[in-house]
Amino acid sequence: MDLQLNEEQEMIRKMARDFAQNEVAPVAAELDEKDEPPLANLKKMAELGFMGLAIPEEYEGIGADSVSYVIAIEEISKACASTGVILAVHNSLGSHGLVAFGTEEQKQKFLPPLASGEWIATFGLTEPETGSDAASIKTKAVLDGDEYVINGTKQFITSAPFAHLFIIFAVTDPSKKHRGLSAFVVEKGTSGFSLGREENKMGIRAASTCGLVFEDCRVPVANRLGEEGEGFKIAMSSLDAGRVGIAAQAVGIAQGAYEAALAYAKERHSFGQPIAEFQGIQWMLADMATRIEAACLLTYQSALAKDRAKKTGERYSKEAAMAKLFASETAVWVTQKAVQIHGGYGYIKEYAVERYYRDAKITEIYEGTSEIQRIVIANQILR
Ligand code: CAA
């Protein structure tokens, strides 16, 4: 694996880092406290081109390679994990289905407003009674002339309160299990489509999450992504792309917490010396740094695999799942140690590690739990 970043990747790192430090970090605690989405920063990220990072240039995106993409998510998440996940979901789950499976007409219509950030995209697969077992969703789409009539509910949909474009999955043929699912593009404001309850979450509080309700919602056949029955494949393929982004988000959270703990360990004195002089703290810092490095390598490796897959058509499910599994477990472990190093101060909101600790947990859950990642990895290595 060649880890020497090229000029473009270095440039994206610098842009994302400067933006994250100057604009994202200063408001992260306040937005978390107020449960408020980072709308002003989404606009600024759009101006920088970040909302179109993974969208091809022919549809007005940046068409960046996936290493550049993970670098941007990592840097933004280091400052604010909520802003990081909105960026990741928009560029992966929300856009991937269109880029990889959309018709030319769908791409021309939907990708430019996503690339410019005028519209925010998201993804509706999970339902109140169906999370991990994605093939068992209950939302139905019934063909009626040149429209599908969609009925059902979705739950835990990231960015939904301010999103404009929703990639939705519904059953079109209940007799075919996962082969009976289809994917649809649903626009905000479509009659019969409304938002459900907004969730009051432990972490990533600035990334608004709510349910979706479909009551005889009519969507034109022209908005079906892929063929009828291809929905499960589109969902899984989008999740491969998405998991690379969540791995990067987790690396960013872990790095933020580690850097805060390192600085604190040098400043804080106890028993007459900086606590960084104690071997107990040094071993924690050494393990944190090592695990982050390993998570970072797996994440970059999954990004390279994702780009190779664009040429070969091969799946990179294993690489994406390994990166997401290891990076999310690293984020939870590292943020817990960061709180521990801060002692009592780590438990109060004036110190960012309190937020990192709460934000890290979701990376082990969304876009497939750690248990699901292990299933995906095992399925791939036992094939
Ligand atoms: N790409 C393409 N096709 C794929 C694929 C992939 N990555 N993964 C599976 N498939 C295909 C298989 O080849 C198989 O094809 P056939 O039709 O030829 O049989 C088919 O899909 C079924 O595959 P499996 O037998 O592996 O499927 P399964 O039912 O056993 O389930 C699973 C697999 C891994 C458990 C899957 O259901 C899964 O990933 N569940 C987790 C769901 C999830 O991650 N939800 C997150 C919601 S989104 C979210 O969290 C977003 C957010 O807000 C941030």
Coordinates of all heavy atoms in Angstrom, one line a residue, residues 85 89 93 123 125-126 131-135 156 158 178-179 232-233 236-237 239-240 243 315 317 366-368 372 376 379, ligand 1:
V85 N -20.4 13.2 10.1 CA -21.3 12.1 9.6 C -22.3 12.7 8.5 O -22.6 12.0 7.6 CB -22.0 11.4 10.7 CG1 -23.1 12.2 11.3 CG2 -22.6 10.1 10.1
V89 N -22.5 10.8 5.0 CA -23.7 10.2 4.6 C -24.1 10.8 3.2 O -24.5 10.2 2.3 CB -24.8 10.3 5.6 CG1 -26.2 10.0 5.0 CG2 -24.5 9.4 6.8
L93 N -23.8 7.2 1.3 CA -25.2 6.6 1.2 C -26.1 7.4 0.4 O -27.0 6.8 -0.3 CB -25.7 6.4 2.7 CG -25.0 5.5 3.6 CD1 -25.7 5.4 4.9 CD2 -24.7 4.1 3.0
F123 N -30.4 8.6 3.4 CA -30.6 7.2 3.0 C -31.6 6.6 4.0 O -31.4 6.7 5.3 CB -29.3 6.5 3.2 CG -29.1 5.1 2.9 CD1 -28.8 4.7 1.6 CD2 -29.1 4.1 3.9 CE1 -28.5 3.3 1.3 CE2 -28.8 2.8 3.6 CZ -28.6 2.4 2.3
L125 N -33.1 3.2 5.1 CA -33.2 1.7 5.0 C -33.9 1.2 6.3 O -34.9 0.5 6.3 CB -31.8 1.1 4.8 CG -31.7 -0.4 4.8 CD1 -32.5 -1.0 3.6 CD2 -30.2 -0.9 4.7
T126 N -33.3 1.6 7.5 CA -33.8 1.1 8.8 C -35.2 1.5 9.1 O -35.7 2.5 8.7 CB -32.8 1.8 9.9 OG1 -31.5 1.4 9.6 CG2 -33.2 1.3 11.3
G131 N -33.5 -3.5 11.7 CA -32.2 -2.7 11.6 C -31.2 -3.6 10.9 O -31.0 -3.5 9.7
S132 N -30.6 -4.5 11.7 CA -29.5 -5.4 11.1 C -30.0 -6.3 10.0 O -29.3 -6.5 9.0 CB -28.9 -6.3 12.2 OG -28.3 -5.5 13.2
D133 N -31.2 -6.8 10.1 CA -31.7 -7.8 9.1 C -32.4 -6.9 8.0 O -33.7 -6.9 7.9 CB -32.7 -8.7 9.8 CG -33.3 -9.8 8.8 OD1 -32.8 -9.8 7.7 OD2 -34.2 -10.5 9.2
A134 N -31.6 -6.3 7.2 CA -32.1 -5.3 6.3 C -33.0 -5.9 5.2 O -33.9 -5.2 4.7 CB -30.9 -4.6 5.6
A135 N -32.9 -7.2 4.9 CA -33.8 -7.8 3.9 C -35.2 -7.9 4.4 O -36.1 -8.2 3.6 CB -33.2 -9.2 3.6
F156 N -34.4 6.4 12.5 CA -33.0 6.8 12.7 C -32.4 7.3 11.4 O -31.3 6.8 11.0 CB -32.2 5.6 13.2 CG -32.7 5.0 14.5 CD1 -32.7 3.6 14.7 CD2 -33.2 5.8 15.5 CE1 -33.1 3.0 15.9 CE2 -33.6 5.2 16.7 CZ -33.6 3.8 16.9
T158 N -30.4 9.8 9.5 CA -29.4 10.9 9.7 C -29.7 12.0 8.7 O -30.0 11.8 7.5 CB -28.0 10.4 9.4 OG1 -27.7 9.3 10.3 CG2 -26.9 11.4 9.7
H178 N -34.9 -10.8 -0.1 CA -34.0 -9.7 -0.4 C -34.1 -9.3 -1.9 O -33.8 -8.2 -2.3 CB -32.6 -9.9 0.0 CG -31.8 -10.9 -0.8 ND1 -31.8 -12.3 -0.5 CD2 -31.1 -10.8 -1.9 CE1 -31.1 -12.9 -1.4 NE2 -30.6 -12.1 -2.3
R179 N -34.5 -10.3 -2.8 CA -34.6 -10.0 -4.2 C -35.9 -9.3 -4.6 O -36.1 -9.0 -5.7 CB -34.4 -11.2 -5.0 CG -33.0 -11.8 -4.9 CD -32.7 -12.9 -5.8 NE -31.4 -13.5 -5.6 CZ -31.0 -14.7 -5.9 NH1 -31.9 -15.5 -6.5 NH2 -29.8 -15.1 -5.7
F232 N -31.8 -4.4 -2.7 CA -30.9 -4.9 -1.6 C -29.4 -4.7 -2.0 O -28.6 -4.3 -1.3 CB -31.2 -6.4 -1.3 CG -30.5 -6.9 -0.1 CD1 -31.0 -6.5 1.2 CD2 -29.4 -7.7 -0.1 CE1 -30.4 -7.0 2.4 CE2 -28.8 -8.2 1.0 CZ -29.3 -7.8 2.3
K233 N -29.2 -5.1 -3.3 CA -27.8 -4.9 -3.8 C -27.4 -3.4 -3.8 O -26.2 -3.1 -3.4 CB -27.8 -5.4 -5.3 CG -26.4 -5.5 -5.9 CD -26.4 -6.2 -7.2 CE -26.7 -5.2 -8.3 NZ -26.8 -5.7 -9.7
M236 N -26.6 -2.6 -0.1 CA -25.4 -3.2 0.4 C -24.2 -2.5 -0.2 O -23.2 -2.2 0.4 CB -25.3 -4.7 0.1 CG -26.3 -5.5 0.9 SD -26.1 -5.3 2.7 CE -27.6 -4.6 3.2
S237 N -24.3 -2.2 -1.5 CA -23.2 -1.6 -2.2 C -23.0 -0.1 -1.6 O -21.8 0.3 -1.4 CB -23.5 -1.5 -3.7 OG -22.8 -0.6 -4.4
L239 N -23.7 0.7 1.4 CA -23.2 0.6 2.7 C -21.7 0.3 2.7 O -20.9 0.7 3.6 CB -24.0 -0.5 3.5 CG -25.3 0.0 4.1 CD1 -26.2 -1.1 4.4 CD2 -25.1 0.9 5.3
D240 N -21.2 -0.4 1.7 CA -19.8 -0.6 1.6 C -19.1 0.8 1.5 O -18.1 1.0 2.2 CB -19.4 -1.4 0.3 CG -19.7 -2.9 0.5 OD1 -19.9 -3.4 1.6 OD2 -19.8 -3.6 -0.6
R243 N -19.4 2.6 4.9 CA -18.6 2.2 6.0 C -17.2 2.7 5.9 O -16.5 2.9 7.0 CB -18.6 0.6 6.0 CG -20.0 0.1 6.5 CD -20.3 -1.3 6.2 NE -21.6 -1.6 6.6 CZ -22.3 -2.7 6.3 NH1 -21.7 -3.7 5.5 NH2 -23.5 -2.9 6.7
R315 N -16.0 -6.5 -5.3 CA -16.6 -6.0 -4.1 C -15.4 -5.7 -3.1 O -14.4 -6.3 -3.2 CB -17.5 -7.0 -3.4 CG -18.9 -6.8 -4.0 CD -19.8 -7.9 -3.5 NE -19.9 -8.0 -2.0 CZ -20.6 -8.9 -1.4 NH1 -21.4 -9.7 -2.0 NH2 -20.6 -8.9 -0.1
S317 N -16.3 -5.3 0.2 CA -17.0 -5.4 1.5 C -16.1 -5.7 2.7 O -16.3 -5.2 3.8 CB -18.1 -6.4 1.3 OG -18.8 -6.3 0.2
Y366 N -24.1 2.4 13.9 CA -24.8 2.7 12.6 C -24.0 2.2 11.4 O -22.8 1.9 11.5 CB -25.2 4.2 12.5 CG -24.3 5.3 12.5 CD1 -22.9 5.2 12.4 CD2 -24.8 6.6 12.8 CE1 -22.1 6.3 12.5 CE2 -23.9 7.7 12.8 CZ -22.6 7.5 12.7 OH -21.8 8.6 12.7
E367 N -24.7 2.2 10.3 CA -24.1 1.6 9.0 C -23.6 0.1 9.3 O -22.7 -0.3 8.7 CB -23.0 2.5 8.4 CG -23.6 3.8 8.1 CD -23.0 4.6 7.0 OE1 -22.3 4.0 6.2 OE2 -23.2 5.8 6.9
G368 N -24.3 -0.5 10.2 CA -24.0 -1.9 10.5 C -23.3 -2.0 11.8 O -22.2 -1.4 12.0
I372 N -22.4 -7.1 12.9 CA -22.7 -7.2 11.5 C -21.4 -7.1 10.7 O -21.2 -7.9 9.7 CB -23.7 -6.1 11.0 CG1 -25.1 -6.4 11.6 CG2 -23.8 -6.0 9.5 CD1 -25.8 -7.7 11.1
V376 N -20.0 -9.8 7.9 CA -19.6 -9.5 6.5 C -18.2 -10.0 6.3 O -17.9 -10.6 5.3 CB -19.7 -7.9 6.3 CG1 -19.1 -7.6 4.9 CG2 -21.1 -7.5 6.4
N379 N -18.2 -13.8 6.1 CA -18.8 -14.3 4.8 C -17.8 -14.2 3.7 O -17.7 -15.0 2.8 CB -20.0 -13.4 4.5 CG -21.2 -13.8 5.3 OD1 -21.2 -14.9 6.0 ND2 -22.3 -13.0 5.3
Ligands
CAA1 N1 -22.7 -5.5 -2.7 C1 -23.4 -6.1 -3.7 N2 -24.2 -7.2 -3.4 C2 -24.3 -7.6 -2.1 C3 -23.5 -7.1 -1.1 C4 -22.6 -6.0 -1.5 N3 -21.9 -5.4 -0.6 N4 -23.7 -7.7 0.0 C5 -24.6 -8.7 -0.2 N5 -24.9 -8.7 -1.6 C6 -25.8 -9.6 -2.3 C7 -25.3 -11.0 -2.2 O1 -24.4 -11.3 -3.2 C8 -26.6 -11.8 -2.3 O2 -26.9 -11.8 -3.6 P1 -27.9 -12.9 -4.3 O3 -29.2 -12.2 -4.6 O4 -27.2 -13.4 -5.4 O5 -28.2 -14.0 -3.2 C9 -27.6 -10.9 -1.5 O6 -27.1 -9.6 -1.6 C10 -27.8 -11.4 -0.1 O7 -26.6 -11.3 0.6 P2 -26.5 -12.0 2.0 O8 -26.9 -13.4 1.9 O9 -25.1 -11.8 2.5 O10 -27.5 -11.2 2.8 P3 -28.1 -11.3 4.3 O11 -29.6 -11.2 4.3 O12 -27.5 -12.5 5.0 O13 -27.6 -10.0 5.0 C11 -26.2 -8.5 6.1 C12 -26.4 -9.5 5.0 C13 -24.7 -8.3 6.0 C14 -26.6 -8.9 7.5 C15 -27.0 -7.2 5.7 O14 -28.3 -7.3 6.0 C16 -26.5 -5.9 6.5 O15 -25.4 -5.3 6.1 N6 -27.2 -5.5 7.5 C17 -26.9 -4.3 8.3 C18 -27.7 -3.2 7.7 C19 -27.1 -1.9 8.0 O16 -25.9 -1.7 7.9 N7 -27.9 -0.9 8.3 C20 -27.5 0.4 8.5 C21 -28.5 1.4 8.1 S1 -28.0 2.8 7.4 C22 -27.4 3.8 8.6 O17 -27.1 3.4 9.6 C23 -27.1 5.2 8.0 C24 -26.9 6.3 9.0 O18 -27.9 6.9 9.4 C25 -25.6 6.8 9.2

